[in-house]
Amino acid sequence: MSQQPPPTGQARYAWREIERRDPPKRAAEDRVSDFHEIYSLFDEATIREQASRCVQCASPACVEGCPLNNRIPEWLALAAEGHFLEAAELSRATSNMPEICPRVCPQEKLCEGACVIHSPEEPICIGAIEKFINEYALARGAVPIHQVSPNGKTVAIVGAGPGGLACADELSKLGYTVTVFESQLLPGGLLMYGIPAFKLEKTVVQRRVNILKRQGVQFKAGLTVGRDVNLDTLLKEFDAVFLGIGALKPKLLDVPGAGLKGVYQGLPFLAQKNAPIGLDLPPVAVKGKRVIVLGGGDTAMDCLRTAIRCGAVETLCVYRRDLANMPGSRKEYYNALEEGARFMFLTNPLAIEGNTSGEVTAVRCARMELGEPDASGRRRPRVVPGSEVTLPADLILVAYGFDPVPFPPESDLSRIAVNEWGATKTDANSMTNVAGVFAGGDVVRGPSLVVHAVRDGRRAAAGIHRYLTEMQPARASAQP
Ligand SMILES: Cc1cc2nc3c(=O)[nH]c(=O)nc-3n(C[C@H](O)[C@H](O)[C@H](O)COP(=O)(O)OP(=O)(O)OC[C@H]3O[C@@H](n4cnc5c(N)ncnc54)[C@H](O)[C@@H]3O)c2cc1C
């Protein structure tokens, strides 16, 4: 327990006296020269003070706002009293990545967005406190490794992203022998190969994977299920299979000139600049170039900030809707602005222009206005007639989002039913149409958030446990 004095604010009304503070952030000029994380931890006294701002609502909206229903007010109360290890223990009870989610969650849309303390006051800084208590526990070796006696059953996890890792964690804590199959050489999925290190250091991902390894989870890296290993082989060797293979097929830029030299997809660019190992990808050099990023989601924000760190002379984001309708996290938008990225909203590319050598020279765009809401509720952008603008550029990064990769027709994975846009269909138990095969994360819901993949992995683990302990034995005993 901390030796710091107790918080100065009176419980329940402390938020009136104590202003919200955000964790220390490196100055933009400093942070653009490397890929290290930009936020550091509060000190203990500030954590206690900030946690004491929580009003301890009877029906906490922050818990509802968190996809994992984290027991936020309870661990805030413990943190306010300096019981950091106990707070971390409680936060681990509902989250398999309690030190990773606070680094990457868009809290303003989740727990902090739901906090009852808002306008003109600022919500509790839940994410920063969650990160602090878990780093505090990890630094003191106070995160126990669960080594449970094997229950005699085995599960194969396909894909080592946050969905697969959360499912593996839950099942191994129940005594299952778990093997994770991963195409890439390092586990972590988009935590390792997509989200840049300035948001999530790769050592943090590696540390979480090591905890799972010490818990007994086995990893088979560099193996692609459906190509190197069949689904049927897994079903023979394991009692159940979980598919957490993400949605990694990039949406394409569909305008004239999209094939010119200098037009690249955003994700391979991020992977080669951020992954801790060399990747077999064509190098994308942005140094000294004017870079235009097309799109307005997290991938676009990450491409802008990565291009700045790699020496681009100009970085411009071109997005067809306005800021209010941009899907990317607000926190990361402001971080990109501070680092020198520029934004052109309500603008959509019509064509990529090039020189006689076939290299990109510009993006011809139309200005847009927002019309009636579409099926998603967001206002549909439409072209403003006669509004064309030409934006000079040397390199284009396309960040238009992703779809699930179609199952190869020749592979037995193609037995798994998908919906009209290729996402795997599951039932209320997270099981696909193939008995014993479960799925979760982006492969089911489409591109989403780390915290949603973790929730899906946990739910699927509960579904697998139910299937192997209740449903399958019942089915076996019913057979003549
Ligand atoms: C650039 C970028 C930035 C993002 N930033 C954020 C952010 O800041 N905050 C946030 O919450 N979310 C963010 N996201 C979204 C988040 O990363 C994903 O929603 C999340 O990682 C999905 O987890 P998953 O486990 O379903 O899949 P993934 O993380 O995609 O992992 C799937 C894994 O399966 C492996 N795999 C695929 N097919 C096979 C196969 N046949 N055999 C074996 N292995 C296979 C892949 O190699 C991969 O490792 C971002 C996404 C991108 C692309």
Side-chain angles (χ1 to χ4, degrees):
M1 181 174 152
S2 155
Q3 298 305 308
Q4 300 288 335
T8 54
Q10 295 301 305
R12 199 159 176 84
Y13 298 106
W15 59 275
R16 288 188 182 160
E17 299 164 25
I18 302 169
E19 278 186 9
R20 174 190 165 112
R21 287 183 49 192
D22 287 312
K25 183 162 69 163
R26 296 165 63 203
E29 333 54 278
D30 170 35
R31 64 192 198 231
V32 294
S33 59
D34 61 51
F35 278 76
H36 293 303
E37 283 185 14
I38 70 168
Y39 294 102
S40 45
L41 297 175
F42 280 129
D43 58 39
E44 293 182 15
T46 310
I47 282 291
R48 295 185 63 184
E49 195 177 71
Q50 288 293 311
S52 76
R53 294 180 72 238
C54 175
V55 292
Q56 298 290 321
C57 308
S59 310
C62 55
V63 177
E64 293 304 311
C66 170
L68 294 170
N69 298 133
N70 281 343
R71 293 162 63 180
I72 296 165
E74 292 171 70
W75 47 254
L76 284 176
L78 286 165
E81 289 167 6
H83 298 298
F84 303 134
L85 293 181
E86 293 84 345
E89 187 181 351
L90 207 51
S91 94
R92 287 196 302 274
T94 52
S95 174
N96 308 79
M97 302 194 172
E99 77 290 15
I100 291 178
C101 286
R103 288 171 157 92
V104 297
C105 273
Q107 283 95 2
E108 78 277 6
K109 295 180 187 167
L110 302 170
C111 54
E112 294 182 15
C115 175
V116 293
I117 301 181
H118 57 78
S119 184
E121 302 299 333
E122 293 282 336
I124 314 300
C125 51
I126 297 169
I129 297 170
E130 184 185 21
K131 180 176 162 193
F132 175 90
I133 55 178
N134 284 290
E135 286 299 334
Y136 185 94
L138 283 158
R140 283 157 185 77
V143 175
I145 305 295
H146 298 264
Q147 277 159 339
V148 180
S149 308
N151 67 11
K153 294 201 186 304
T154 58
V155 179
I157 306 283
V158 185
L165 295 182
C167 189
D169 188 18
E170 289 298 294
L171 290 170
S172 80
K173 285 177 190 163
L174 289 169
Y176 290 90
T177 301
V178 179
T179 307
V180 181
F181 293 81
E182 167 57 51
S183 294
Q184 300 284 352
L185 292 180
L186 295 177
L190 287 172
L191 302 177
M192 188 61 87
Y193 289 98
I195 299 177
F198 49 80
K199 280 161 62 179
L200 173 65
E201 300 263 6
K202 301 310 145 200
T203 49
V204 173
V205 183
Q206 196 60 57
R207 181 178 60 185
R208 178 52 53 186
V209 169
N210 287 341
I211 290 174
L212 293 183
K213 285 183 179 166
R214 285 165 60 205
Q215 206 169 285
V217 175
Q218 293 167 36
F219 286 85
K220 293 203 172 176
L223 275 179
T224 296
V225 173
R227 189 190 66 193
D228 308 324
V229 192
N230 288 336
L231 179 63
D232 283 333
T233 309
L234 293 184
L235 284 169
K236 270 191 212 115
E237 290 179 9
F238 295 87
D239 295 300
V241 175
F242 171 78
L243 292 182
I245 56 179
L248 298 167
K249 181 180 161 215
K251 289 187 200 286
L252 301 179
L253 171 66
D254 185 18
V255 297
L260 286 170
K261 285 183 217 155
V263 180
Y264 297 97
Q265 278 294 334
L267 185 57
F269 166 72
L270 292 176
Q272 69 177 238
K273 303 298 179 200
N274 284 285
I277 53 170
L279 298 177
D280 188 16
L281 292 169
V284 183
V286 298
K287 194 166 177 150
K289 296 199 173 146
R290 295 164 300 178
V291 175
I292 289 189
V293 175
L294 302 175
D298 282 327
T299 307
M301 302 305 118
D302 293 345
C303 283
L304 291 163
R305 300 175 65 198
T306 298
I308 290 169
R309 283 163 175 76
C310 293
V313 285
E314 280 177 24
T315 46
L316 175 67
C317 180
V318 170
Y319 178 56
R320 64 191 180 136
R321 289 187 163 97
D322 59 3
L323 174 60
N325 287 284
M326 188 175 79
S329 144
R330 284 300 166 276
K331 183 172 66 177
E332 304 309 344
Y333 161 70
Y334 288 115
N335 284 333
L337 270 185
E338 283 174 9
E339 291 170 10
R342 291 185 303 124
F343 287 78
M344 199 152 167
F345 293 108
L346 293 167
T347 309
N348 203 31
L350 296 172
I352 311 297
E353 297 182 350
N355 58 20
T356 49
S357 308
E359 293 156 343
V360 169
T361 56
V363 185
R364 189 151 48 80
C365 299
R367 300 309 306 267
M368 312 295 283
E369 60 188 6
L370 295 180
E372 297 307 309
D374 62 15
S376 72
R378 288 193 304 168
R379 291 174 64 197
R380 198 189 300 269
R382 61 183 177 220
V383 171
V384 177
S387 65
E388 284 190 19
V389 285
T390 300
L391 307 170
D394 307 309
L395 197 137
I396 314 292
L397 294 169
V398 182
Y400 277 167
F402 304 90
D403 286 317
V405 177
F407 294 127
E410 68 283 4
S411 119
D412 56 3
L413 282 173
S414 61
R415 295 207 318 265
I416 295 171
V418 297
N419 68 15
E420 63 284 5
W421 49 274
T424 295
K425 291 199 222 172
T426 52
D427 63 15
N429 216 27
S430 305
M431 191 155 84
T432 68
N433 61 313
V434 178
V437 179
F438 295 72
D442 283 4
V443 71
V444 169
R445 60 175 63 245
S448 188
L449 294 175
V450 169
V451 68
H452 288 142
V454 171
R455 180 177 65 184
D456 287 357
R458 293 172 68 85
R459 283 188 179 164
I464 290 170
H465 186 51
R466 253 191 312 275
Y467 174 74
L468 293 179
T469 54
E470 298 167 22
M471 295 157 68
Q472 213 194 27
R475 200 181 296 173
S477 63
Q479 281 171 4

